[in-house]
Amino acid sequence: MQTEHLKVTGLTCGGCVNSLTNALKAVTGVSDVKVTLATGETSVQYDEHSTSPEQLRSAIDNAGFGTEPG
């Protein structure tokens, strides 16, 4: 298992956190998601054989949020 730490932009409320969490958990191989609304810090635990950081970022984009580079 790998853990990806991302800074997600566009989170304004608890509903956004739920939407982001559900979008990431829908990605094959994701086992756990933790999102901090105040900072946008997002931690995603995933199986590196089933998905990639690029696919995680794509799921975030598709859910209507962004990520900061880094």
Side-chain angles (χ1 to χ4, degrees):
M1 291 300 253
Q2 294 283 333
T3 302
E4 184 76 10
H5 298 281
L6 301 160
K7 173 79 171 174
V8 177
T9 59
L11 298 172
T12 59
C13 65
C16 293
V17 171
N18 288 337
S19 294
L20 176 62
T21 300
N22 291 336
L24 286 168
K25 284 187 174 180
V27 175
T28 301
V30 171
S31 61
D32 191 42
V33 177
K34 290 182 176 51
V35 181
T36 304
L37 175 60
T39 61
E41 295 293 328
T42 303
S43 174
V44 184
Q45 191 172 40
Y46 66 97
D47 178 352
E48 67 274 16
H49 300 291
S50 299
T51 193
S52 67
E54 293 77 20
Q55 288 173 306
L56 299 175
R57 286 185 175 83
S58 178
I60 293 168
D61 290 342
N62 290 337
F65 304 104
T67 56
E68 290 185 2

